[in-house]
Structures are given as C-alpha cells and as structure tokens.
Amino acid sequence: MKIYLSTFILVILCALSTGCGFFALSKDLDKLDVAVSISGTVDASPTSGKPILVALYAPEENNKNRLKASAVRYGSGEFEFLVAKGRYYLIAFEDKNEDLTVQDDERIGWYGNPTLIETGSGERIGKLKVVLRFPDQAKQELPTLYSNQEPKEPLKLENERIGEIVDQNDPRFSQEIGNMGVWEPIKFVELGYNGIFFFEPYDAQKVPVLFVHGFSGSGHNWLTIINGLDRDRFQPWIVQYPSGLRLNLISRVLNEKITELQLRHSFEKLIVVAHSMGGLVSRGFINRNVVQEGGGVVDLFVTISTPWGGIETAQTGVDHTPVVVPSWYDLVPGNPYASSLFEQPLPDNVPYFLLFSYRGKGELISSSTNNSDGTVSIQSQLLPKAQDAATSVIGYDEGHVSILQNKRVVNKLNRIMADTLYK
C-alpha cells in the first residue's frame, strides 16, 4: 500500500510546532475518557410538529439549577449529552411558541420523580425516558415547575457561540486555533472556539450558507470564498469545531445546533459548503437532519476535496503514533463512519455538487495512488458512491487547500447557488 509519507510527516511536524502535540492530546483525551454520557429517549406523543427541548440541569445553592446541556428534537426521539461528572436533573418540554422557555400551556416531562442523576467519571448512563405530560397532569404531579416566583428565561448555555456576530479578522479564525482543535480538542471547546459564527445579523431575505472546514481548519480557510460571495443574496455562517474528535459526535452536535438556529430564526433554506473532512461531517449532519426533520432544512450541498474513500496516512497514524487523534479512525479507508454515509441517500430535492482537486500534468485518473492534490488521492475524492450521488462533478488543478483561494471556484460557487435557489 502506497503511503503519502509527506502528508504524514506534515501532521507530525504540525503536532510538534503547536507546542502541545501528542502530550497535550493525551491530556485532552483523558478528559474525554472521564466525560459522562447521559442518553435516553423523549416520548412526545401525540406529535404536534412543535420543537421539543431536552435539557440537563445541575442543582446549585439557593435551590437554583444551572443549565448544562440542551438539545432540540421534533417529536419523539433519542438524545445524548456528554458532560462532566456531577449531579443532574433531566427535563423536556414542548416549545409551542418557540421562545425557548416553559409556558403554562406547554407539555412538560422529567426523568424520575424528578430524580437526581448522580454520575461518576467516565460513566455511561443510558435508557433514561422522559414522557411529556399535558399541563393539567404536570401541575398536579409537580406544581413547582410552573411556579411564577422566578422569571422565566430562555434556555441559553454558557460558552455557546451559536449565532455570535464576529469580524472576519476575529483571532479565533487563525491557523493556530485550527491546530488546537486537533491536538487540544477539549481545551478548544472549553475556551469557546467552537460554534457557528455570523458576520452580520440574521436577515430573513438572504439565504444562509454554512461553511464547514476540514481537519485542523478554522474560519480563516473560508475568507477568500466569503469575500467573493454574493452578499446581497447570501449570508455566510462559519462552523468551527474541534476536528480531532470523532466525526459521529461532531455531526450530531452540528445537527443539534442547526436545529436550534432554525428554531430561533425559522429559515426555510440552507446551503452547506464543506471542505475536505468537513464533507464527511456535513454528510453525517444532513443524514441526521433528514431523519429528524422529516425532510431536513438543507437545499444544496457542495463538497470540496473531500476524502470520501479515506486517507491512507490516517492508517499509519492509527498504527504507529503514540497517541491517536480520534478523528483519524474516521479517515482510515473503509472505516464504519464513512462507509455508512451513503446508506441513506440524499433527498431528491437536494442537489449535490462534488468539487475535487488534483495536482500535476500527469494522467488525471489512473490506478496509481500518486494522483492526488498533495493530501487526498483523486481515487478517494471520486469514490464511486460519491459520484453516483452527485448532480455534477467538477475538477480543479489545485492543491488540497489552495483550491479554496481559486477565483474560478468562488465564481462557480456563486453560479451554483444562484442557479439552484433563484431559478
């Protein structure tokens, strides 16, 4: 098997140059190992079509509770939270007027009596069930839930960056921060570098474009494309996530945050543009969103240089490095996560454009794995299942990252978006 040795060496050098490398990653993964998983189902039958908010609270002094995690569901379904060890109450309510607060006429449910969930390091607590009650029943069982003694406030997590308006020069969009997302993913989250960032207030007259970076990426990867975006029609939203974590977790969280934004703004259209590993994350998010939303909110999907068939150097990293970056498992050729992405087809009303990159004047497509963009092989980018799902496949003589600075790519994206959404 041919290995892109230069890419593998680059990854190792990147680890050393960040000043943290494998030692910092090991410490961060220790934190992840002791994280607590709390999961279960919410029964919201009969289904009303309104959002169901599931929330995890930690009790504090003065009989107050602090929100620690939340998720939005439509109808009955599963939930899972990753939190620090501690003591928690679990509740869920039907947000009829979509204001993120519990009202007197909204169904509500809780786990237990409610029961305080006590957790230890690394514990996995599952099969919890929350059943929504109609207000009359809930008031009889637990009248304090509707107490007017404290003002009702919308659910809002600390350190969440969902819809925060930032400048293009925001220091969180640096390459250094992108590297931290690989080698110190937990610290990346703790410092608030993850989120979905806006460059302007939400405008219902413009279609949001969600930009999803790849491995060790950050917002700076998208600035050339965003500067060339038709800002009269489109509004850019930048996703930042810790790219060292497992992709199934990242795609799940992304789906939850997009669902939350949709609840806030009620947007009817969404374009997803993803680079490299971000394409794998985005396809996982879209698959989840379609199932949860019964059709989803995505109207157009574009990937750029995505390793649909994996990266061979990821196998080298898994086999030979002292500490394995978790996302490498999901980049190994034939891994379960990537293989499962095409089990669920894209909806018929979601066009998919596959943009790929290649370098050199040699034979474009051949059996040789030397044909690549310097990081990902053409063979991986043009995985047959990905091509079969694509509305169009377009290649560019560019490197894996330089394709994001290509003016032709910028112009093509504008045309694709305009032709798809403004026919």
Side-chain angles (χ1 to χ4, degrees):
M1 179 176 65
K2 180 69 175 180
I3 298 297
Y4 301 125
L5 185 58
S6 60
T7 303
F8 178 62
I9 292 174
L10 180 62
V11 169
I12 302 303
L13 291 176
C14 175
L16 298 176
S17 65
T18 59
C20 51
F22 293 114
F23 177 68
L25 176 61
S26 178
K27 289 172 42 178
D28 260 30
L29 294 184
D30 286 343
K31 292 182 181 179
L32 192 60
D33 285 341
V34 300
V36 175
S37 170
I38 298 176
S39 62
T41 59
V42 57
D43 183 350
S45 56
T47 301
S48 66
K50 294 297 183 179
I52 308 300
L53 273 66
V54 187
L56 204 62
Y57 286 91
E60 295 188 333
E61 296 179 358
N62 303 320
N63 295 320
K64 292 186 176 181
N65 300 311
R66 181 180 294 274
L67 179 66
K68 290 297 184 179
S70 66
V72 181
R73 294 289 177 268
Y74 282 80
S76 303
E78 299 178 348
F79 62 84
E80 181 181 7
F81 298 116
L82 284 178
V83 290
K85 68 175 182 178
R87 303 159 72 236
Y88 301 98
Y89 287 112
L90 176 65
I91 72 164
F93 67 94
E94 179 185 47
D95 194 14
K96 290 172 60 177
N97 61 350
E98 301 185 3
D99 66 349
L100 302 178
T101 63
V102 182
Q103 305 296 333
D104 291 353
D105 63 343
E106 293 175 340
R107 290 189 294 165
I108 191 170
W110 51 88
Y111 169 70
N113 298 316
T115 301
L116 194 61
I117 304 168
E118 302 202 29
T119 67
S121 296
E123 193 169 358
R124 300 292 183 264
I125 299 175
K127 299 183 179 180
L128 304 185
K129 187 172 184 178
V130 177
V131 179
L132 297 192
R133 283 93 157 164
F134 284 96
D136 289 345
Q137 178 186 354
K139 289 174 184 177
Q140 290 180 2
E141 294 184 31
L142 202 65
T144 55
L145 281 177
Y146 293 97
S147 172
N148 292 319
Q149 295 178 356
E150 296 183 10
K152 296 184 176 69
E153 297 182 355
L155 297 187
K156 185 177 181 181
L157 285 173
E158 296 180 353
N159 297 325
E160 285 283 348
R161 304 295 191 270
I162 308 300
E164 179 182 348
I165 300 172
V166 299
D167 183 83
Q168 287 192 14
N169 297 318
D170 193 292
R172 287 170 290 190
F173 291 165
S174 69
Q175 181 60 63
E176 181 181 6
I177 297 303
N179 291 336
M180 179 186 289
V182 174
W183 303 106
E184 297 179 278
I186 306 304
K187 182 178 179 181
F188 179 96
V189 173
E190 291 174 342
L191 294 177
Y193 294 146
N194 63 309
I196 300 177
F197 299 92
F198 292 9
F199 289 132
E200 60 189 60
Y202 174 75
D203 186 343
Q205 303 303 313
K206 299 179 182 179
V207 177
V209 183
L210 188 73
F211 291 99
V212 187
H213 65 72
F215 186 82
S216 77
S218 67
H220 81 281
N221 295 118
W222 295 112
L223 296 185
T224 296
I225 287 178
I226 287 174
N227 287 332
L229 195 67
D230 181 353
R231 298 291 285 273
D232 292 329
R233 291 180 168 181
F234 306 106
Q235 53 190 312
W237 295 356
I238 283 187
V239 176
Q240 283 210 163
Y241 64 91
S243 59
L245 296 183
R246 296 300 296 264
L247 303 194
N248 191 53
L249 172 62
I250 296 169
S251 67
R252 177 173 63 80
V253 172
L254 178 57
N255 181 49
E256 291 175 354
K257 300 314 171 187
I258 290 298
T259 303
E260 182 178 332
L261 280 173
Q262 208 282 328
L263 176 59
R264 291 185 193 177
H265 301 301
S266 299
F267 55 87
E268 297 181 353
K269 298 180 183 295
L270 178 68
I271 297 171
V272 177
V273 180
H275 175 241
S276 191
M277 189 181 79
L280 304 178
V281 171
S282 298
R283 181 61 192 263
F285 144 63
I286 293 172
N287 287 354
R288 289 176 179 275
N289 194 255
V290 167
V291 171
Q292 181 170 306
E293 303 294 334
V297 298
V298 177
D299 292 86
L300 173 63
F301 183 35
V302 181
T303 61
I304 305 172
S305 308
T306 291
W308 294 113
I311 303 178
E312 291 182 341
T313 44
Q315 186 68 66
T316 304
V318 168
D319 292 341
H320 299 294
T321 55
V323 182
V324 177
V325 175
S327 59
W328 285 353
Y329 290 111
D330 300 317
L331 292 173
V332 170
N335 72 82
Y337 173 81
S339 299
S340 70
L341 294 179
F342 297 99
E343 292 177 358
Q344 178 178 313
L346 288 170
D348 293 337
N349 62 340
V350 180
Y352 167 49
F353 288 78
L354 189 162
L355 279 55
F356 69 98
S357 47
Y358 59 91
R359 272 299 194 192
K361 299 180 180 179
E363 189 178 356
L364 180 60
I365 304 293
S366 77
S367 60
S368 171
T369 55
N370 283 322
N371 290 307
S372 76
D373 61 7
T375 300
V376 180
S377 71
I378 297 174
Q379 186 178 18
S380 177
Q381 295 181 64
L382 297 181
L383 186 75
K385 288 183 179 180
Q387 292 190 67
D388 291 344
T391 304
S392 181
V393 178
I394 309 164
Y396 294 88
D397 186 359
E398 285 287 353
H400 188 67
V401 176
S402 68
I403 189 173
L404 299 178
Q405 282 77 52
N406 187 301
K407 297 298 183 183
R408 290 177 54 229
V409 173
V410 177
N411 294 335
K412 185 64 174 178
L413 278 175
N414 275 311
R415 289 197 300 273
I416 290 172
M417 292 188 294
D419 291 346
T420 302
L421 276 75
Y422 295 95
K423 293 180 180 178

